[in-house]
Amino acid sequence: MYSAAEQETFQIGTRRFSSRLLVGTGKYKDMNETRDAIAASGAEIVTVAIRRTNIGQNPGEPNLLDVISPERYTLLPNTAGCYTAQEAVRTCQLARELLDGHNLVKLEVLGDQKTLYPNMRETLAATETLIADGFEVMVYCNDDPIAAKELEQMGCVAIMPLGSLIGSGLGILNPHNIRLIMEEAQVPILVDAGVGTASDAAIAMEMGCDGVLMNTAIAHARNPILMASAMKKAIEAGRDAFLAGRMPKKAYASASSPLEGLIHS
């Protein structure tokens, strides 16, 4: 018997997916752990930092594609480590060459090394160039509803507001703004960055987010493979809870059993 979350699919650009958990490939101790943790997560979309990960551009070095097969996973090249629109665009174009014309990318243009917060001016500039060049852009952004809507109107196929700072594990610090973004969105909204443990992922899904992207929360757990499995379950449970519809919150107690027909002494 499958849960409602397991039976659902959702669309990003021209592709459809079943798993709403997206995972990264960095920070694991070795390629084998990378392979096993990603398999345990049940993810179908796997992000690859083109500036930091070898997928064929560095012959002679371990190649991620030896353990993460493009036939099994949808690879999502990302522009991690880029601080200008020009760098980000060039990185996406390199990824397209390395992956035989693959055009689905995750855009992130960072503002500084301390916070890794997005530079929205450069992000908007890179978005415009990439979409004109035929890319399907999933974009990392701040939790500003106005900026998120502008990116959607430009043609991004998914908006990815941060939950908190990349790699911080602080969870979702501003759920109100993310709800505002979701209210106006006609494309998938995926929380990107800040998840620390399974409850953070479940909260994002209970809010109604379409998915969650994470890396450090799994890779830096004491047992990454077990944490990957926990995240898979949290995503499914959170989605089921959202679809089920939670009970209303009340200020006072409400008896679990009906009061009518009580036996009086």
Side-chain angles (χ1 to χ4, degrees), residues 234-250:
I235 292 289
E236 292 173 355
R239 182 64 182 175
D240 277 351
F242 170 73
L243 294 174
R246 66 157 292 143
M247 62 165 283
K249 293 183 179 181
K250 301 177 181 179

Side-chain angles (χ1 to χ4, degrees), residues 31-53:
M31 289 287 190
N32 289 336
E33 186 177 77
T34 304
R35 177 197 61 215
D36 294 345
I38 291 173
S41 76
E44 296 171 312
I45 303 176
V46 179
T47 68
V48 180
I50 298 299
R51 292 168 65 91
R52 299 170 180 162
T53 306

Side-chain angles (χ1 to χ4, degrees), residues 21-31 33-39 41 43-50 52-53 64 67-68 73-78 80 106 108 160 191-193 212-220 224 228 231:
L21 174 59
L22 293 71
V23 296
T25 54
K27 303 183 178 181
Y28 291 98
K29 68 180 182 182
D30 55 36
M31 289 287 190
E33 186 177 77
T34 304
R35 177 197 61 215
D36 294 345
I38 291 173
S41 76
E44 296 171 312
I45 303 176
V46 179
T47 68
V48 180
I50 298 299
R52 299 170 180 162
T53 306
L64 181 68
V67 296
I68 304 298
Y73 301 100
T74 294
L75 297 184
L76 181 63
N78 72 61
K106 181 202 163 187
E108 58 181 81
M160 308 178 75
V191 166
D192 179 13
V212 180
L213 187 150
M214 65 184 74
N215 184 188
T216 310
I218 296 175
H220 279 189
M231 291 298 188

Side-chain angles (χ1 to χ4, degrees), residues 19 43 45 51 55 72 85-86 95-96 107 117 124 134 139 147 168 180 183 195 202 204 228 243 260:
S19 173
I45 303 176
R51 292 168 65 91
I55 59 170
R72 178 175 179 182
Q86 184 179 27
R96 184 164 59 184
L107 172 65
Y117 209 75
L124 289 162
V139 60
S168 68
L180 290 176
E183 282 180 10
V195 167
L243 294 174
E260 294 82 4

Side-chain angles (χ1 to χ4, degrees), residues 129-142:
T129 301
L130 289 170
I131 290 174
D133 195 20
F135 285 94
E136 292 187 314
V137 178
M138 302 172 63
V139 60
Y140 166 68
C141 61
N142 59 26

Side-chain angles (χ1 to χ4, degrees), residues 57-86:
Q57 69 270 43
N58 299 315
E61 295 183 10
N63 189 329
L64 181 68
L65 301 186
D66 291 337
V67 296
I68 304 298
S69 170
E71 296 178 1
R72 178 175 179 182
Y73 301 100
T74 294
L75 297 184
L76 181 63
N78 72 61
T79 60
C82 293
Y83 290 85
T84 67
Q86 184 179 27

Side-chain angles (χ1 to χ4, degrees), residues 153-228:
Q153 290 171 340
M154 293 174 72
C156 290
V157 298
I159 308 299
M160 308 178 75
L162 54 81
S164 52
L165 300 183
I166 292 173
S168 68
L170 292 172
I172 299 175
L173 297 184
N174 198 345
H176 179 68
N177 271 25
I178 292 178
R179 287 192 180 96
L180 290 176
I181 291 171
M182 289 190 294
E183 282 180 10
E184 298 298 323
Q186 301 298 315
V187 298
I189 304 299
L190 300 93
V191 166
D192 179 13
V195 167
T197 191
S199 58
D200 298 329
I203 287 170
M205 299 308 297
E206 288 172 6
M207 288 169 54
C209 292
D210 295 284
V212 180
L213 187 150
M214 65 184 74
N215 184 188
T216 310
I218 296 175
H220 279 189
R222 285 197 301 271
N223 185 332
I225 297 167
L226 185 58
M227 182 60 82

